[in-house]
Amino acid sequence: MKGRKLFPIIMAAAMLSLGSCGTDKNEEAIKFFKRGNFKLKEQEYNEAIHWYGEALNKKPDFADIYNNRGLAYQKSDKPEKALEDFNKAIAVDSKFWEAYYNRAELLFNLGNYQEAIQDLNKIGKVYKDSSFYYVTLGNVKTQTQDYSGATAAYERALVLDPKNAEAYTNHGYLYFEQNNYPLAKKDFEKALSINPKQHFALNNLAFILSEEGKYKEALPLVEKAIFLKPAQAYYLNNKGYILLQLGKLDEAKETIEHSLRIESENAFAIRNLGLYFQKKGDTQKAKEYFEKAKKLNPNISIQ
């Protein structure tokens, strides 16, 4: 293996509430709520949080505000606060299905897969016609190693929406994990034909091409993935390996070291540095990196 294969967190779009209170008494709360929604759509998350807070001061039992503020907190990388708001939205309205969905997505990102499954099961009938619901369900089932369930979920997503690029990407990942590269490649290519910005599909397609020895074809694909996700350590490492095979040793070393600055314990990147020193003729340095990589991952291939 050239690099660790990273599961894609490619989820459905979060569900924004657009409800209103409907009485004169709550007009000011509605006004602040709408300001918050505007700021959220503009990706001004701190401003959105401020206006949602103002709205809650006027109407503290407004479930839609808690849901949307939860989204703003989630986008601001404040998952604990986001979870608290989704919980509050559900406490105010036990049938607020959008909040269950958003909470499930957050729980997935936090690694709380069983809790995410519980929320998704609760809303399954409501979202039985939602392609993105099934993508989310498939993602959670993949992480709980229910691969047959994940496959069924992704395939249902594609029946509901044959142009769901995320479903193709994540369905392809299941083939990818089984080393069934021809079927994985087909799914990734289909995903990219729908949405060329599917960075995970780009990276894994580059990986497959490099497995086939097609390094010149692989390089522009992984570079596109990095352009879309510049701080993704595994994409950088895959590029570094490809550069090694193309004989661009100095650029490869720089790229692999960049990957390690982001994630220092990536055994594949450490192994690839060993390959760099091996190609440079420094067998002692290569051995040191190979041994370090083996300590982190005893199953890693040194080649």
Side-chain angles (χ1 to χ4, degrees), residues 78-119:
K78 297 175 182 176
E80 295 82 7
K81 287 185 175 292
L83 183 58
E84 183 180 338
D85 270 356
F86 293 143
N87 289 340
K88 286 179 180 177
I90 292 166
V92 172
D93 181 355
S94 63
K95 294 185 179 180
F96 195 167
W97 310 126
E98 293 93 337
Y100 282 105
Y101 183 93
N102 291 334
R103 186 171 71 176
E105 183 178 282
L106 176 61
L107 290 167
F108 173 87
N109 289 332
L110 292 172
N112 299 334
Y113 305 127
Q114 294 303 327
E115 293 179 53
I117 283 283
Q118 289 174 13
D119 276 352

Side-chain angles (χ1 to χ4, degrees), residues 163-179:
K163 293 186 177 181
N164 188 329
E166 289 80 1
Y168 277 112
T169 296
N170 294 6
H171 189 260
Y173 170 80
L174 296 179
Y175 288 129
F176 190 77
E177 278 293 274
Q178 298 165 25
N179 295 326

Side-chain angles (χ1 to χ4, degrees), residues 230-295:
Q232 176 44 260
Y234 303 109
Y235 299 178
L236 288 163
N237 180 51
N238 282 348
K239 179 184 176 181
Y241 180 87
I242 292 166
L243 289 169
L244 285 175
Q245 303 311 309
L246 290 171
K248 300 180 179 182
L249 301 187
D250 291 340
E251 187 180 353
K253 180 173 182 286
E254 181 181 345
T255 304
I256 296 165
E257 288 175 338
H258 184 185
S259 172
L260 284 167
R261 285 195 294 272
I262 296 168
E263 183 161 330
S264 61
E265 298 297 296
N266 183 347
F268 292 98
I270 293 168
R271 187 279 312 274
N272 288 347
L273 269 186
L275 293 177
Y276 164 80
F277 284 108
Q278 187 177 69
K279 288 178 178 292
K280 294 289 282 188
D282 190 339
T283 55
Q284 181 58 40
K285 199 73 172 177
K287 182 181 177 182
E288 290 175 11
Y289 279 103
F290 291 153
E291 289 176 351
K292 185 177 179 180
K294 278 285 188 182
K295 284 182 181 179

Side-chain angles (χ1 to χ4, degrees), residues 117-135:
I117 283 283
Q118 289 174 13
D119 276 352
L120 291 171
N121 287 341
K122 189 175 184 69
I123 62 176
K125 289 183 180 179
V126 178
Y127 291 110
K128 62 184 176 64
D129 296 322
S130 168
S131 181
F132 278 105
Y133 166 82
Y134 284 100
V135 171

Side-chain angles (χ1 to χ4, degrees), residues 138-178:
N139 291 349
V140 181
K141 286 184 177 292
T142 297
Q143 291 292 11
T144 57
Q145 299 183 345
D146 179 3
Y147 299 123
S148 61
T151 299
Y154 294 139
E155 290 177 354
R156 180 59 182 163
L158 288 168
V159 168
L160 291 168
D161 181 4
K163 293 186 177 181
N164 188 329
E166 289 80 1
Y168 277 112
T169 296
N170 294 6
H171 189 260
Y173 170 80
L174 296 179
Y175 288 129
F176 190 77
E177 278 293 274
Q178 298 165 25

Side-chain angles (χ1 to χ4, degrees), residues 215-232:
Y215 303 113
K216 289 183 179 179
E217 292 179 43
L219 184 59
L221 293 177
V222 75
E223 287 179 334
K224 287 179 183 177
I226 292 168
F227 176 79
L228 294 166
K229 283 284 182 180
Q232 176 44 260

